[in-house]
């Protein structure tokens, strides 16, 4: 009788290990922490950013891109009209805020429901300077 229990116990152990492949579940891959620049892009913080203009929405809104910014770029809005061109290099400073769709429409942006933006208080462009110039 003991032999039967021992064989049954071994069979159960083999069956269970076959179900899991005999290996422990791998630990999830670590994710890289956000860069210091992205960490600063929290509502209520004041930032200064130098980046390349990648999209212009009009005279009050544009997107900048840089390796330290979110992969989709950073939306920038300004109460005062600004003239920037793709792919100019700009330095801007301002307050990070979260805007809803109604506020974004005031700046000519209709394709986002909610966005973290930099409300620029100063924008300096470097005409003729771009990553390809």
């Amino acid at each position: 009788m003991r032999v039967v229990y021992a064989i049954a116990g071994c069979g159960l152990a083999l069956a269970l290990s076959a179900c899991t492949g005999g290996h422990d579940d791998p630990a999830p891959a670590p994710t890289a922490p956000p860069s210091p620049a992205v960490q600063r892009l929290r509502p209520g913080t004041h930032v200064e950013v130098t980046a390349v203009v990648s999209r212009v929405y009009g005279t009050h809104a544009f997107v900048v891109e840089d390796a330290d910014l979110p992969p989709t770029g950073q939306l920038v809005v300004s109460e005062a009209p600004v003239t920037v061109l793709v792919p100019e290099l700009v330095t801007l400073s301002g307050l990070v805020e979260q805007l809803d769709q109604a506020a974004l429409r005031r700046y000519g942006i209709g394709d986002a429901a909610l966005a973290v933006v930099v409300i620029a208080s100063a924008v300096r462009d470097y005409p003729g300077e771009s990553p390809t110039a």
Side-chain angles (χ1 to χ4, degrees):
M1 197 68 167
R2 289 185 193 166
V3 174
V4 174
Y5 288 126
I7 291 172
C10 288
L12 181 60
L14 287 173
L16 290 175
S17 67
C19 292
T20 62
H23 304 288
D24 292 333
D25 289 336
T31 57
S35 71
V38 171
Q39 291 176 1
R40 293 185 326 190
L41 294 172
R42 295 202 173 122
T45 59
H46 188 271
V47 295
E48 186 168 305
V49 175
T50 298
V52 176
V53 177
S54 63
R55 183 171 180 183
V56 177
Y57 285 98
T59 58
H60 293 275
F62 57 96
V63 175
V64 293
E65 290 185 2
D66 185 74
D68 289 331
L69 295 174
T72 56
Q74 179 58 53
L75 181 59
V76 179
V77 297
S78 174
E79 292 293 330
V82 293
T83 303
V84 294
L85 302 171
V86 175
E88 280 184 339
L89 184 66
V90 297
T91 296
L92 58 102
S93 60
L95 187 64
V96 179
E97 292 293 338
Q98 189 164 356
L99 299 181
D100 62 14
Q101 190 173 27
L104 291 168
R105 275 197 298 264
R106 285 197 329 255
Y107 294 106
I109 305 159
D111 60 353
L114 190 66
V116 173
V117 304
V118 175
I119 300 178
S121 55
V123 177
R124 177 178 179 209
D125 64 332
Y126 304 90
E129 292 189 34
S130 71
T132 58

